[in-house]
Amino acid sequence: MAELSLRKVKKVYDNTVVAVQAFDLEIADKEFIVLVGPSGCGKSTTLRMVAGLEEITEGEIYIGGKKVNNVPPKSRDIAMVFQNYALYPHMTVYDNIAYGLKLRKFPKRVIDQKVREAAEILDITELLKRKPKALSGGQRQRVAIGRAIVREPQVFLMDEPLSNLDAKLRNQMRAEIIKLRQKVNTTFIYVTHDQTEAMTLGDRIVIMKEGYVQQVGTPQEVFHHPANLFVAGFIGTPQMNFFDAELVRKGDQYAVRLGSAEVTLSPEKQARLLAGEVRSQEITLGVRPEHIVLTEDMNAVQATVDVSEMMGSAVHIHVSACGRDVVIVVPVSEEEAESGDLFLRGTQVHFTFRGSAAHVFDKETGRNLESREERAEAEPVETVSAEEPEEVTPQFMAAVEQPEDSVIPPVGDPFAEDEEA
Ligand code: ADP
């Protein structure tokens, strides 16, 4: 059993840099959680607190029901895979994978079996005799994952494991991690700044900004029901378009007004707005590029084409409309694609969207007006450029991987209310 619980976790570096605040999350056993957000939002710090590589300033972390605030990394039954692999250069792939088990004094026969099983899972059996310098980036990352797998950890932590790989390899390894997840039945926490990775890997995604959790949800939830403007803009590619618009309530009916166009919202959206007693107001309207449709209707929103990009099965047209730069994804047939110049610069077009595709955000706070839940607004966070965390070297890994030879320090009772961390 390895459910995790993070309760009001906070991290302040050097008494000044608030890296993570009010982090609350219950992670189910065998769940795949992805922490995602722009650089500096506190993802790695959160992961490192779970790993025990970073002290927790406030709050509590439980792994498998046991409070681990004061438990050293090596006794937490976790394994971590880093961006830079941290392999021992002088050891073969086999020895790199076996190392953690050797330290733990596993019998040779057991080590051999585990190494070969992991190599099989990761398709690196052929490489076992090689040294890391004779491997590609993708292969090195597999070895690093292999080293983590053999330890059969309760929790698998991955910190941007694919970010050193080129785009093609990254796609390949992403698929590998999905497969790995099916074979290795454990809890995963995966950190990335890449929303595509987050959307494809996570059972649930935790979107962070400036140390605060913005939303926790399944990929579908965060895509279709973003809690605020930040999440709406961060998840989905190309990015959601935003407009200054008006929400119009007539009795129990809601519509959005954009320029001369008025679009009635879908019944589900209307019901949620009604439940929240939302009034007519100025809003920020969000519509995803793939949900905008071109129309011959002259009453629809008028736009002028700036640039069009042929992407194969679709054209991405960048237009100016209502004082904003807007992207529209227009699917094209094979013949149209071949004929080339579809939307020339300066062409006038009209567009609309369905009422189910309109996202309405509070103009001031950016909160999604359909959601009832108020989230604490991010306080300004100190953004002094700080030292990067300690480099992950093989020596550092050894410190994490060393077996526990001393007595495990006293661990708090998870149910004791007022115990000191
Ligand atoms: P992310 O992983 O989302 O890029 P981090 O968790 O690494 O973000 O960093 C969050 C914030 O904490 C950033 O402002 C960063 O500069 C700061 N930070 C990270 N590590 C340290 C450290 N060792 N000392 C001081 N500040 C740090």
Side-chain angles (χ1 to χ4, degrees), residues 11-14 16-20 35-48 54 159-160 191-193 208 210-211 381-390:
K11 175 69 186 182
V12 184
Y13 286 109
D14 313 325
T16 49
V17 185
V18 184
V20 177
L35 308 182
V36 69
S39 176
C41 71
K43 313 177 288 290
S44 293
T45 299
T46 306
L47 198 72
R48 293 166 65 86
E54 218 55 85
D159 193 355
E160 304 251 9
V191 160
T192 178
H193 61 274
M208 298 179 72
E210 292 171 1
V381 173
E382 194 102 20
T383 49
V384 295
S385 65
E387 240 180 89
E388 278 307 301
E390 154 179 27

Side-chain angles (χ1 to χ4, degrees), residues 272-273 275-277 367-375:
R272 282 193 285 268
L273 292 171
E277 296 174 10
R367 184 175 68 87
N368 190 330
L369 290 169
E370 282 180 56
S371 69
R372 312 277 306 266
E373 182 188 351
E374 288 276 1
R375 274 202 182 267

